[in-house]
Amino acid sequence: MSDDDVSASDNGDDTRNDLRNDTRDTPLLSVRGLVKHFPVKRGVVISRVAGQVRAVDDVSFDIARGETLALVGESGCGKSTTGRLILRLIAPTAGAVRFKGQDIAHLPDEPMRAMRRHLQIIFQDPYASLNPRMTVGDILAEPMAVHGLGSEAERADRVRELLAVVGLLPEHARRYPHQFSGGQRQRVGIARALTVRPELIVCDEAVSALDVSIQAQVVNLLQDLQKRFGLSYLFIAHDLAVVKHIADRVAVMYLGKLVEIADKAGLYARPLHPYTQALLSAIPRPQPGLQRQRILLPGDVPSAMNPPEGCRFHTRCAHAQDRCRREEPALRDAAPGHSVACHFFETLPRPEEAVAAPGGGQSRFALRLAAYEAARGRGA
C-alpha cells in the first residue's frame, strides 16, 4: 500500500482528530464513584459470602481527548482492576463510566459490543495475550472481522499498514507469536489495539515486562501514535521514571482509592500526599553523586478485605493524627488541577531536595534510569 493510499484511508481519522483537537477540554472519559467489591465465599456444599475485597472504592477522574493519564501505585492497589472496569471486562459494583457522555457501566451487551471498538487495551504480558495458534495477520484481522469492518482484501491491507506503523515488516504477518521477541510481541499487541481505530487505549503495565532499551522504544512509539491518531491513554504503571516521560497527568492510588491527582509537573515538583512523597523519594537522580532522602514506609499494605478505618494510609503514615484514624479524607483541591486526599497536607513538611551522596555512588535504579534516558534519546 502506498503512502497516498494510507493517507486516503485515514481521511476519516483526520476529520475525527480535528474534532478531538477542537474539543480537547471536554472529557472523553469521565469516571465517577467507581466501585468494585469482590465477594469472598466460603463453604463447599453451602456457599456463603464471608466478606468483600474492596478492590476499587469510590474512584473518580476524567481523561481529555488526546491526553495521557497515568495511574500509579503499589501492586495490588487496584490499578488494573480500574482499567478493566472502564472497559467493562469486569462489571462494576457501583459508579458511572461515561464515554463521550454515554454511561457504559450498565450498557446492555449489544450496544456495549459496538462501543468496544472505541475502547481498547494493551496487556502487560504480550505473549499471554496473543493466541499462539493464530498468525499475527489473523490476530490483527480478527477485531476487524468481529466489528464487520472492510472486506477481506481491505483487512489484509490494513494489517500490512499497521505492521508498518508499529515498526514491523509485512512478512511478519505470516509468523506466530512465539517467533517474536518480547518487544516485537508488544508491538503486535499495540497494532491489535489500533486495528479498529479506537479513541481510548488502556495501557495496562504495557512496558513493565520489557528491557529498559525496549521500554524506551515502545514509549516513543506510543507517543508517536498518540500524535498521529489523536489517541487518549490510561497508562497504568508502577515505574515512575517511565510515567514522567509519557504522562500529562498522574493519579496516585492506594488500597483502592485515589490519594492524589495532578498534572505531571506539579506532582513531581511538589507532591502533597505522604504516600506520593514516599513513592517519588524512591527515584534517585540520574546524575552521579546525587540522591534524595529516601522515605521508608513501615509495615505492609493492609488487606483490601479489611481496610483501616479513617484514612487508609494512616497505619503507615509518619504524620498520622487521631483525626486520620477516625475520619476518611475526601479528595479536595489543593491548587488548580491538583487534588489530594489528606487532612493535613497544608502543614506537612516538604520532602528534602536531592543532596550529594557519600562517595558519589549510584544505585542500580539510578543506573537503570540513566540507561532508560540514554536509550530513549537514541530512539527519538
Side-chain angles (χ1 to χ4, degrees):
M1 179 178 281
S2 68
D3 292 341
D4 291 339
D5 292 335
V6 172
S7 177
S9 67
D10 285 341
N11 284 340
D13 291 330
D14 293 339
T15 301
R16 186 173 63 183
N17 292 342
D18 292 339
L19 179 61
R20 290 172 180 168
N21 293 333
D22 292 340
T23 59
R24 184 181 174 86
D25 293 335
T26 302
L28 178 70
L29 180 78
S30 182
V31 178
R32 292 292 180 270
L34 192 61
V35 175
K36 181 59 182 180
H37 294 169
F38 292 98
V40 177
K41 297 182 179 181
R42 292 179 180 171
V44 178
V45 179
I46 301 177
S47 178
R48 61 185 181 85
V49 176
Q52 300 279 342
V53 175
R54 300 168 67 176
V56 177
D57 233 350
D58 195 21
V59 168
S60 300
F61 58 82
D62 294 331
I63 299 179
R65 298 170 187 269
E67 181 187 38
T68 298
L69 174 67
L71 188 59
V72 304
E74 293 172 280
S75 296
C77 70
K79 306 185 301 294
S80 294
T81 302
T82 300
R84 283 164 168 75
L85 288 170
I86 290 170
L87 299 174
R88 277 278 301 277
L89 296 180
I90 53 178
T93 302
V97 178
R98 296 188 178 277
F99 179 74
K100 300 171 69 173
Q102 182 177 6
D103 189 357
I104 62 174
H106 308 287
L107 206 61
D109 291 343
E110 282 303 314
M112 188 63 215
R113 183 176 182 178
M115 184 64 72
R116 292 190 191 282
R117 176 184 172 184
H118 306 286
L119 305 162
Q120 291 293 307
I121 185 170
I122 302 170
F123 292 98
Q124 176 178 356
D125 187 345
Y127 189 66
S129 64
L130 300 175
N131 190 330
R133 298 177 182 273
M134 297 175 67
T135 65
V136 165
D138 291 338
I139 289 171
L140 297 184
E142 185 179 38
M144 292 182 279
V146 168
H147 289 281
L149 302 177
S151 64
E152 187 172 346
E154 290 171 335
R155 293 170 195 162
D157 289 340
R158 176 69 173 163
V159 167
R160 288 191 290 270
E161 175 191 339
L162 288 169
L163 289 174
V165 164
V166 299
L168 297 176
L169 301 175
E171 53 265 32
H172 287 153
R174 297 188 295 272
R175 296 185 184 179
Y176 289 87
H178 73 274
Q179 297 176 293
F180 292 90
S181 67
Q184 288 175 321
R185 282 195 290 264
Q186 194 60 289
R187 289 173 183 267
V188 173
I190 293 171
R192 180 179 60 182
L194 293 173
T195 53
V196 290
R197 295 184 170 89
E199 298 178 67
L200 174 71
I201 297 180
V202 175
C203 304
D204 186 10
E205 302 276 9
V207 298
S208 63
L210 306 176
D211 294 334
V212 175
S213 59
I214 305 302
Q215 282 185 2
Q217 294 174 15
V218 173
V219 167
N220 285 341
L221 174 61
L222 289 171
Q223 290 179 316
D224 291 342
L225 294 173
Q226 185 174 45
K227 293 175 183 177
R228 179 173 176 179
F229 300 115
L231 299 170
S232 298
Y233 294 140
L234 175 62
F235 192 85
I236 299 169
H238 60 264
D239 190 331
L240 294 172
V242 175
V243 166
K244 188 174 182 179
H245 285 289
I246 195 171
D248 297 310
R249 292 188 301 132
V250 183
V252 183
M253 200 167 186
Y254 181 81
L255 203 60
K257 298 187 76 72
L258 291 185
V259 298
E260 189 165 1
I261 183 167
D263 65 272
K264 175 179 63 179
L267 186 129
Y268 278 81
R270 189 169 180 266
L272 298 178
H273 197 279
Y275 180 61
T276 309
Q277 294 173 0
L279 289 180
L280 294 180
S281 75
I283 310 178
R285 298 290 180 95
Q287 294 90 342
L290 288 182
Q291 67 178 11
R292 279 193 177 97
Q293 183 65 39
R294 182 73 188 273
I295 301 174
L296 299 177
L297 299 177
D300 297 321
V301 180
S303 169
M305 188 174 174
N306 187 27
E309 295 292 331
C311 175
R312 296 191 178 187
F313 186 63
H314 83 260
T315 58
R316 306 176 72 193
C317 181
H319 310 287
Q321 307 294 321
D322 288 340
R323 182 184 178 188
C324 303
R325 301 178 181 90
R326 298 191 312 266
E327 181 183 339
E328 184 175 346
L331 195 66
R332 55 196 177 105
D333 292 338
H338 195 152
S339 300
V340 60
C342 178
H343 294 305
F344 305 106
F345 73 87
E346 299 97 332
T347 59
L348 294 181
R350 292 192 62 181
E352 296 183 21
E353 298 294 333
V355 296
Q362 283 184 285
S363 69
R364 285 184 296 174
F365 192 91
L367 294 172
R368 179 174 177 271
L369 182 61
Y372 175 86
E373 296 275 6
R376 188 174 185 277
R378 290 194 298 269

